[in-house]
Amino acid sequence: MTALPWTLFAPELFLLGAALLVFLLDSLGIRRLELFGGLATVGISIALLGVLADLRFAPLAGLATVPAGNVDVPWSPLNASLVVVTSFGLIFQAIFLTSALLVALASLSRRSDEKGAAIFFGLLLFATLGMTLAALAADLIYLLLAIEVTGISTYLLVGYTRRDARGLEAAMKFYIIGALSAALSFFGASLLYAYYGTTNLATLGTGFVSMFPSPLGGATGIAFLGYGFLLVGIGFKVTAVPFHAWAVDVYDGAPSDVSAFLAGGSKKVGLFAYFVVFLVPILASQTTFVCPGGPTPTCHYLHSTFGIPLQVLFGLLAVVTMTAGNVLALMQTEMKRMLAYSSISQAGYMLIGLAVATSPAIAGATLQIFAHVFMKTGAFLVVAAVAGFGIGSRIEEWKGVGLRHRWLGASFAAMLLSLAGIPLTVGFVSKFVLFSAAVQAQGWFVWLAVAGLLNSALSVFYYARVLRVMYMERPEVGSAPVPAGAVVGGSDPPALTLGGIGVGRATAIGLATAAVFAFGVYPQPVLAGLQMAADHLVQLL
């Protein structure tokens, strides 16, 4: 494998530079939210353009910073590099950056004199930096460290206002759970290193014991235990049941813009980690004969004893997560808590791709993750905008919102319909592709598709309840919207101009709404790219 060029980290360097510049200007006494937000938005936008160029997106291919020969090269266990460039990883980088860009745009509509603006945008950039670094991981320790860069930044983001008691409580819960998650993950990594003698992701879970002799011999129990700790530790990041309870309180207590980033962006790094950590042992569940390259190539039998149990475990985890999330969402009376449980259920659908572990299933799960960025980020941004009009967090307080604020109501309705999987939305396309892949795999995987369909039908009930309240119930007397610019309660500041929600927030919501329908009507370009990336990933692993 040829040496990777330093330009591989060009997107990360732009994010790091923007973050350091934000903190530098803040230390010089500059307190303008528009400046900090503008720097963050520009930094994220340039990084996103760079990633799209590296993916050879037609209009930007000439700006690629990574030579084509360094993308999707054979991922050999003999390779000791910490990073590897894959189409799959670049797609996840684009997903992370898109979520961050929507949140940065929306946050430009906060008050110009808001305290802590530099902290918010700086931490947003650092969290995004950690996610983009994780998408390049070829080593387990490197992957976990990159995830912790994101984790520490998001702990602080949740409580950055420092004046909101609920936000501080949510930040403390998030920190404690995050510390537990990190401890379990690194302990699991240490057990795998004890068995395999390496933390290279292409080797873990396989039978290359002749290449990397295990000091523990045939004691596979220690490896099973290591994978168990990793599954639990990363499971907290994914919000998979039963490691999900923290997410509801954190999403509810955090400012809505931060909730949008957590649900639409940062949890996706956990899903990426699940894929790159567990796909190798699952794909190696049947014995194959491989001959790694080199001056004196030696052939080995590659076999994993963990693949089948992991597939069954992830299948159960997917069903339990989607079912528990939907059932609990059905019982909620507060909007943000309902969206939080909905986000948990969506994680269950995504885990189907890992359980099936075929190229179409991986592409379908990635499309579901891609769709979730627009659906869930957009939904939380609408909640933040509606809060600027003095409308409370309880669902019953949203009576007539769709009639009083038609544009916001229509956008929120689009997000909910897409989350439910209604045709002509990207949520329908992603679920169709994912469930179809499970059916094509046959066997017990068909039941995963059946469980997904039943849960999608169940989710319609609580989404329809919100739409009924928004469009079919009259608001109570005296519940007129607060004029734009007035001070309202809660952790979210009042909105600015352009109908009372601000230009930045309106742009972010508009982009998310347009994406929901655009990719729902014409998903072929994105789907083709995801399928190609999934094919390459399966071949590389």
Side-chain angles (χ1 to χ4, degrees):
M1 179 179 177
T2 58
L4 292 173
W6 69 269
T7 52
L8 164 67
F9 298 102
E12 288 76 13
L13 291 175
F14 277 110
L15 294 173
L16 178 61
L20 294 178
L21 185 56
V22 165
F23 288 129
L24 175 62
L25 292 175
D26 183 58
S27 67
L28 295 176
I30 299 174
R31 301 288 187 272
R32 295 296 298 177
L33 179 142
E34 291 88 348
L35 177 59
F36 299 143
L39 287 172
T41 302
V42 170
I44 295 170
S45 298
I46 295 175
L48 179 57
L49 291 175
V51 171
L52 293 177
D54 290 335
L55 282 168
R56 276 27 185 204
F57 183 65
L60 303 170
L63 302 176
T65 58
V66 180
N70 290 114
V71 180
D72 290 327
V73 296
W75 195 352
S76 170
L78 295 173
N79 173 28
S81 175
L82 295 178
V83 298
V84 64
V85 187
T86 64
S87 300
F88 190 73
L90 290 174
I91 285 174
F92 266 86
Q93 282 190 330
I95 289 173
F96 300 148
L97 290 165
T98 300
S99 173
L101 179 59
L102 291 174
V103 174
L105 274 174
S107 299
L108 286 171
S109 293
R110 292 173 173 270
R111 287 195 306 263
S112 297
D113 60 345
E114 178 184 324
K115 293 182 179 179
I119 296 175
F120 173 84
F121 287 107
L123 290 174
L124 178 67
L125 288 163
F126 271 117
T128 309
L129 171 64
M131 293 190 289
T132 55
L133 288 173
L136 299 173
D139 182 88
L140 180 57
I141 300 299
Y142 170 90
L143 173 66
L144 296 179
L145 288 173
I147 291 174
E148 286 312 302
V149 172
T150 298
I152 294 171
S153 301
T154 50
Y155 308 153
L156 297 172
L157 265 178
V158 171
Y160 86 96
T161 58
R162 295 181 296 177
R163 297 184 301 275
D164 183 4
R166 293 183 65 207
L168 292 175
E169 179 186 353
M172 182 56 67
K173 291 179 179 178
F174 197 10
Y175 170 73
I176 293 172
I177 293 298
L180 175 62
S181 169
L184 293 173
S185 298
F186 278 99
F187 184 62
S190 69
L191 294 178
L192 290 179
Y193 179 77
Y195 181 74
Y196 287 102
T198 180
T199 52
N200 182 274
L201 289 172
T203 302
L204 298 178
T206 68
F208 277 105
V209 291
S210 59
M211 189 179 302
F212 296 98
S214 169
L216 301 178
T220 56
I222 199 74
F224 272 114
L225 194 60
Y227 272 115
F229 277 109
L230 275 173
L231 189 145
V232 174
I234 301 175
F236 282 108
K237 308 291 185 183
V238 177
T239 66
V241 174
F243 321 115
H244 67 289
W246 66 270
V248 181
D249 289 338
V250 171
Y251 290 7
D252 186 33
S256 294
D257 288 344
V258 177
S259 301
F261 181 67
L262 295 177
S266 66
K267 73 178 289 182
K268 306 299 187 299
V269 74
L271 288 160
F272 176 81
Y274 259 174
F275 276 100
V276 296
V277 170
F278 291 101
L279 266 181
V280 171
I282 290 176
L283 293 175
S285 58
Q286 296 184 355
T287 301
T288 55
F289 195 62
V290 296
C291 298
T296 56
T298 305
C299 297
H300 301 269
Y301 281 103
L302 172 64
H303 180 68
S304 170
T305 57
F306 313 122
I308 302 298
L310 283 174
Q311 279 185 289
V312 174
L313 187 57
F314 276 113
L316 292 174
L317 198 64
V319 173
V320 171
T321 298
M322 68 176 79
T323 304
N326 282 321
V327 170
L328 293 171
L330 194 62
M331 302 166 58
Q332 300 307 305
T333 58
E334 294 190 7
M335 189 65 74
K336 289 178 70 174
R337 296 184 73 86
M338 184 274 288
L339 290 175
Y341 279 114
S342 167
S343 182
I344 292 169
S345 71
Q346 296 289 321
Y349 301 131
M350 299 165 192
L351 290 175
I352 292 177
L354 189 55
V356 178
T358 61
S359 178
I362 295 170
T366 309
L367 182 59
Q368 181 72 16
I369 293 170
F370 174 78
H372 194 253
V373 169
F374 300 105
M375 297 184 297
K376 193 61 68 173
T377 304
F380 274 108
L381 293 182
V382 172
V383 171
V386 170
F389 294 109
I391 297 172
S393 61
R394 295 180 63 83
I395 294 176
E396 64 181 17
E397 296 180 67
W398 282 55
K399 292 179 180 178
V401 165
L403 301 176
R404 287 184 286 161
H405 308 285
R406 290 182 175 84
W407 188 84
L408 280 177
S411 295
F412 196 62
M415 309 300 173
L416 297 185
L417 292 174
S418 186
L419 287 166
I422 302 302
L424 299 181
T425 64
V426 67
F428 169 79
V429 175
S430 61
K431 287 183 179 180
F432 178 82
V433 173
L434 180 58
F435 298 161
S436 297
V439 173
Q440 291 170 5
Q442 301 182 352
W444 64 274
F445 300 120
V446 175
W447 291 105
L448 293 179
V450 172
L453 288 171
L454 293 176
N455 271 278
S456 295
L458 177 61
S459 69
V460 171
F461 287 95
Y462 58 83
Y463 293 134
R465 179 185 62 178
V466 174
L467 295 177
R468 176 179 57 80
V469 170
M470 289 173 55
Y471 286 99
M472 301 181 67
E473 295 189 14
R474 296 181 178 275
E476 297 177 0
V477 177
S479 61
V482 176
V487 178
V488 295
S491 59
D492 295 298
L496 307 172
T497 66
L498 194 61
I501 65 173
V503 176
R505 196 177 303 278
T507 302
I509 294 173
L511 289 174
T513 305
V516 164
F517 288 112
F519 295 119
V521 175
Y522 187 60
Q524 284 81 358
V526 172
L527 184 57
L530 296 180
Q531 185 62 64
M532 185 179 298
D535 290 339
H536 289 161
L537 182 68
V538 171
Q539 293 170 7
L540 294 177
L541 297 181

